[in-house]
Amino acid sequence: MAENRRWQRIVGLSTVSQLNEVVRAGHATTVINVTEALQERKIAAVADEIQRLGSRLVLLAGPSSSGKTTTCKRLSVQLGACGLRPVGLSMDDYFVNREDTPRGENGDYDFECLNALDVPFFNRQLQALLAGEAVELPKYDFHTGRRTMSGTTLQLRSNDVLIVEGIHALNPDLTPDIDPADKFQLYVSALTTIELDGHRRISTSDNRLLRRIVRDCQFRGYSAEDTLHRWPSVRAGEEKWIFPYQENCDMMVNSALLYELSVLRGRVLPLLEAVPEVSPVRPEAERLRQLVEFFEPIPEAQIPHISLLREFLGGSAFKY
């Protein structure tokens, strides 16, 4: 938070009213470009630290809609600029077979718990990779609920860095057999630092929820009502599996952008207004609508194609 207060001073604004004045004056592009540059410099600093430490394994975690995927892709670019070759490993391919998945209190499969992953097998493969051995990677079929071997072999070279992204990445129980000297742990969050005024902050979870509403509609076919219904269970999972381990990180990246709610406004307002009056989540939709209406709109066309915000809006230079 202190780092991002410093970023506010560099950009020259800290409240919504100040941002709105800049937008109305036609200077939004300057704020966008400087904010994006500050975030890119932070990601470059993470890559520099990974190179300095000689870390072979990067574990990246963060809550829902924090921008983990784009951060991972931008970090890969910066690692490449350091002369390193990033190699991704999907934790989704290490799920146990569906019938072996633990069940939650309601009797449904609990896919978010740590034991939904085959942790011993995951550690054996990580140890082999870090030792320079070739391993055959698994592939999980979400339709059949079974894991098979993919036929794809991976072997790390001297300048390779293995990147693993997932909600459990910072949980020490995920990688108990891996030497801490080999691990670099990165936490991505969206710590909203812009304030409504000098006294009222904007909730970090609201920032992520608004991102998720836009993304779920754009890419997953869910309405704002659907996303709002799911949000309490998402938050409960974060409290149990993500937030307790965030302080384990070696570095933290704040993915929040000072200007982003001005951009999300145009997408999210119609979605929130479409929530039926009789819906139990209508009061929450109305609260979010009132929040977003504080912001002057910024056209999406002004947003760079490598911006983290493109993960939610679409039009990214990266493939997801």
Side-chain angles (χ1 to χ4, degrees):
M1 291 296 288
E3 176 184 61
N4 284 277
R5 296 296 184 194
R6 181 175 62 81
W7 287 12
Q8 285 181 351
R9 292 193 294 272
I10 291 172
V11 177
L13 57 88
S14 60
T15 66
V16 175
S17 62
Q18 291 171 338
L19 174 61
N20 288 342
E21 289 175 10
V22 169
V23 173
R24 286 191 290 265
H27 301 310
T29 300
T30 300
V31 172
I32 292 168
N33 290 341
V34 174
T35 301
E36 293 285 346
L38 286 166
Q39 193 172 83
E40 190 64 27
R41 288 186 66 178
K42 177 66 175 187
I43 295 172
V46 172
D48 289 342
E49 185 66 3
I50 292 170
Q51 182 185 43
R52 185 186 71 81
L53 294 172
S55 304
R56 304 292 310 284
L57 173 64
V58 175
L59 299 166
L60 188 153
S64 173
S65 301
S66 60
K68 298 184 295 296
T69 304
T70 301
T71 300
C72 185
K73 292 181 180 296
R74 288 171 65 174
L75 176 60
S76 295
V77 172
Q78 292 294 339
L79 289 171
C82 292
L84 302 172
R85 191 177 80 105
V87 179
L89 192 66
S90 174
M91 284 178 59
D92 287 351
D93 290 326
Y94 291 88
F95 276 119
V96 298
N97 292 330
R98 187 161 297 156
E99 65 268 22
D100 298 323
T101 304
R103 294 181 181 269
E105 295 177 358
N106 58 4
D108 294 333
Y109 288 124
D110 185 357
F111 295 109
E112 293 193 346
C113 74
L114 180 61
N115 290 328
L117 298 171
D118 190 340
V119 174
F121 175 56
F122 179 67
N123 276 261
R124 287 196 300 272
Q125 290 223 317
L126 282 184
Q127 284 180 304
L129 286 167
L130 294 174
E133 300 173 19
V135 302
E136 183 182 359
L137 299 177
K139 184 67 178 177
Y140 190 83
D141 188 325
F142 284 91
H143 294 291
T144 64
R146 301 197 67 79
R147 189 183 71 221
T148 58
M149 300 312 290
S150 67
T152 300
T153 301
L154 176 62
Q155 185 173 17
L156 298 183
R157 298 178 299 192
S158 60
N159 66 331
D160 287 353
V161 176
L162 193 62
I163 302 179
V164 178
E165 172 202 334
I167 65 171
H168 299 292
L170 301 190
N171 186 337
D173 291 334
L174 175 69
T175 54
D177 303 325
I178 307 302
D179 187 342
D182 285 328
K183 295 188 287 189
F184 184 92
Q185 299 182 104
L186 181 64
Y187 186 73
V188 181
S189 189
L191 298 173
T192 316
T193 55
I194 194 167
E195 300 174 345
L196 288 175
D197 51 40
H199 307 285
R200 293 179 295 170
R201 291 185 60 251
I202 296 172
S203 166
T204 292
S205 60
D206 281 350
N207 197 146
R208 294 189 291 110
L209 175 54
L210 290 165
R211 285 177 174 182
R212 180 161 174 150
I213 289 171
V214 171
R215 185 198 63 190
D216 281 358
C217 176
Q218 174 84 347
F219 299 110
R220 302 181 181 181
Y222 296 143
S223 67
E225 184 181 21
D226 293 333
T227 303
L228 289 170
H229 273 300
R230 289 185 176 90
W231 191 241
S233 64
V234 171
R235 295 279 290 140
E238 293 171 348
E239 292 289 345
K240 185 174 182 180
W241 297 112
I242 301 175
F243 296 146
Y245 307 106
Q246 61 185 342
E247 297 303 327
N248 292 341
C249 70
D250 296 293
M251 291 185 74
M252 184 179 292
V253 170
N254 186 356
S255 71
L257 298 158
L258 286 171
Y259 67 84
E260 70 175 272
L261 295 185
S262 290
V263 180
L264 292 175
R265 171 187 166 134
R267 289 284 193 98
V268 80
L269 279 181
L271 301 177
L272 293 171
E273 290 164 356
V275 175
E277 293 280 354
V278 296
S279 173
V281 297
R282 175 68 186 201
E284 179 70 352
E286 183 64 17
R287 183 186 69 81
L288 292 170
R289 183 191 65 78
Q290 293 175 2
L291 168 63
V292 174
E293 284 186 338
F294 279 115
F295 291 80
E296 287 285 327
I298 293 177
E300 289 181 25
Q302 296 187 40
I303 309 307
H305 292 293
I306 64 167
S307 174
L308 185 143
L309 202 52
R310 289 288 180 185
E311 179 178 333
F312 307 95
L313 296 170
S316 177
F318 300 113
K319 292 183 180 180
Y320 297 96

